[in-house]
Structure formats: C-alpha cells, structure tokens
Amino acid sequence: MVYFSWGGNTRTVANHIHDLVGGDIVEVETVVPYPDTYEEVTQIAPGELESDYRPELKTKVENMDEYDTLIVGTPIWGGHLTPAMKSFLAGYDLSGKSIAPFCTHGGSGTAQSVSDIRSVCPNSTILGSLAVYGSQAENSRGDVEKWLEQIGILKNN
C-alpha cells in the first residue's frame, strides 16, 4: 500500500487497511514539505493542480515489480488526486497492475481522483474505490473492511 497524507486522515485510513491486510506500507513524502496550515495548502494547491505540477519525492520503491496490486490512498485536493500522489504513480511503469484507490475528502467523494489515476496509469486495472469523509477516518474501519471484501483483497471469513 502507498499513500500520501497531509493532515493525517489518509494515514488513519491507511493504517486501518494495513491492520486488516498486512503487507508493505509506504508513505509518500515530498522533498519540499507542504505548509503546516490548511489555509496555506489551499492557497498553493489550485495552482499546482492547474499546472499539473509533480513535486520531487523523497519516497522511492525499489521493488515495484514484485507487486501485482497497489492500494493507493490520497486526500482529495480541489477535486483531484494530490500532486504528490500523481508524481508517485507517474514515476513507475504500473502496466498490468491492479490499483485499488481510496481517498479522504471534505464532501466531494472520489471526485476526479479515479480518472486522474486512469490518466497517469492507462495500462493498469482500476478496482472499485473507497471515499472516506475526512472527519470519519478514525471510525471508518467497518467501511474499509467492506470495501476490501468487495474488491477481493480481503476474503470473507
């Protein structure tokens, strides 16, 4: 699993997933960190999204060929995948891999994030997605479990 989390909500959901399925977990980190305040992030995010900015990342996965399925998590910024996650996905040839996207949001659901993933990973299979309202991240374990069962990653007992 790979995720980017600015405010912690996406990390919380990622940890629920990791508790349920195990495996490797990688947090995407940018070389230049995003500002600490929500107001500052909301001021820079629109320009980054509009220009298709892809920040340089500290995060590298050396053994990407070993994975058939990636669970990919991101907050929704301005209705889209975050620039950091777009950078990450664009940095690998994910052809033939399955991608299970999840996001945290403030009311938009998955918005354009799934089509953003499709545009960056045109030769990947996109599995069903999960959208978690940010303030519900802590209490989302049941929804996460249902989603993982629906997409075939977690088997019913």
Side-chain angles (χ1 to χ4, degrees), residues 130-132 136 139-148 150:
L130 173 69
V132 175
Q136 297 301 309
N139 302 313
S140 66
R141 188 179 171 102
D143 291 336
V144 166
E145 194 167 355
K146 277 186 222 148
W147 169 66
L148 290 168
Q150 286 170 345

Side-chain angles (χ1 to χ4, degrees), residues 1-4 26-30 52-57 59-61 64 67-76 80-103 112-126:
M1 174 181 16
V2 61
Y3 70 94
F4 172 76
V26 174
E27 182 170 6
V28 172
E29 294 180 273
T30 55
D52 198 26
Y53 172 68
R54 298 190 185 175
E56 187 180 349
L57 303 178
T59 309
K60 301 271 187 281
V61 175
M64 190 61 81
Y67 301 98
D68 295 326
T69 301
L70 283 180
I71 300 173
V72 173
T74 183
I76 298 297
H80 291 276
L81 194 63
T82 56
M85 186 51 72
K86 200 176 237 190
S87 251
F88 180 85
L89 293 173
Y92 300 91
D93 178 4
L94 302 176
S95 298
K97 296 188 185 299
S98 294
I99 297 175
F102 73 93
C103 69
Q112 298 300 311
S113 65
V114 175
S115 56
D116 291 344
I117 292 171
R118 275 197 183 94
S119 71
V120 178
C121 306
N123 300 313
S124 299
T125 300
I126 311 300

